[in-house]
Amino acid sequence: MRKTKIAPSLLAADFGNLRRDVEMVNNSDADWHHIDVMDGVFVPNISYGMPVIKAIQKHATKPLDVHLMIVDPDRYINTFAELGASILTVHYEACTHLHRTIQAIKAKGMKAGVSLNPHSNINLLEDIINDIDLVLLMSVNPGFGGQSFIDNTYVKIKALKELINIKKATALIEIDGGVTSENAKKLTEAGADVLVAGSFVFKSENPAQTILDLKRAADGNYEQKVVNNR
Ligand code: DX5
Ligand code: ZN
């Protein structure tokens, strides 16, 4: 039985009601809280910083899946460990010494992820795949929520799955950008293990129900864990 994880992206939450939205995720069938950190340099947008993440952490009861869209992420590895990140993902395109960065993340007790932009080929991961816990494939250009899904992602998921199998690696495949219950099944069939969804969840009328819909779309046989909050 397939067990796809759902990671709602708080980038699309209502920041005036952040606690409410974090608690909605706590009480839903979601698996992780996805936290997007943007610096206005690596991507043309700034999201939120440490004080906001601290507030999220205070209320969150599920693992914090932190996606760093920043240059030179090594500067903040300690800070994110202190903020309680369970998974820390850096961009391949933002790291000169990626192997060292991965080791530093793991040394702080976090799981290490590497993200690829839509233009970056899977082959780039050949010499690092056995060292990492997760690969985050961007299925939109990073920087903004609410963009449309790039179809070439399916081919990349299959190529990545193949690489993972050939190398006998254990990295999870996470897909980020433009995920909906329309493409969820095709993504998991291609090999995705974790689906990030921002606008599709938070802009919907009943976000907790939408998370459940996503789970069911991804895994036809999913049995609901949680019955409260809806
Ligand atoms: C984009 C972020 C995503 C974003 C996804 O740069 O990494 O996590 O929040 O948003 P949607 O699901 O709206 O495409
Ligand atoms: Zn993200």
Side-chain angles (χ1 to χ4, degrees), residues 64-166:
L64 303 187
D65 172 34
V66 179
H67 176 193
L68 298 184
M69 285 160 275
I70 65 173
V71 295
D72 202 4
D74 302 62
R75 294 171 295 163
Y76 296 108
I77 292 173
N78 288 355
T79 309
F80 284 103
E82 280 161 17
L83 283 168
S86 297
I87 305 128
L88 193 63
T89 296
V90 296
H91 265 261
Y92 179 90
E93 301 85 1
C95 297
T96 311
H97 301 287
L98 184 60
H99 186 271
R100 183 184 291 153
T101 305
I102 297 302
Q103 302 312 319
I105 293 172
K106 292 207 221 161
K108 287 285 161 189
M110 296 177 284
K111 300 231 181 275
V114 172
S115 180
L116 290 186
N117 276 337
H119 73 275
S120 295
N121 197 276
I122 296 302
N123 293 338
L124 297 168
L125 299 176
E126 220 175 286
D127 292 308
I128 197 82
I129 194 72
N130 289 101
D131 296 298
I132 61 184
D133 299 292
L134 176 144
V135 177
L136 185 160
L137 293 182
M138 283 307 312
S139 39
V140 299
N141 283 296
F144 302 92
Q147 305 180 79
S148 14
F149 181 85
I150 297 172
D151 268 339
N152 187 52
T153 310
Y154 297 117
V155 180
K156 290 180 75 170
I157 299 173
K158 286 180 190 151
L160 176 56
K161 192 80 195 167
E162 210 176 297
L163 177 67
I164 290 171
N165 288 340
I166 288 170

Side-chain angles (χ1 to χ4, degrees), residues 9 11 34 36 38 67 69 138 142-146 176-178 196-199:
S9 166
L11 189 64
H34 186 78
D36 289 303
M38 306 177 183
H67 176 193
M69 285 160 275
M138 283 307 312
F144 302 92
D176 189 2
V196 175
S199 357

Side-chain angles (χ1 to χ4, degrees), residues 171-193:
L172 295 177
I173 303 178
E174 181 171 33
I175 307 302
D176 189 2
V179 171
T180 68
S181 49
E182 294 289 301
N183 55 21
K185 187 159 195 271
K186 202 167 163 192
L187 290 168
T188 53
E189 277 175 357
D193 303 296

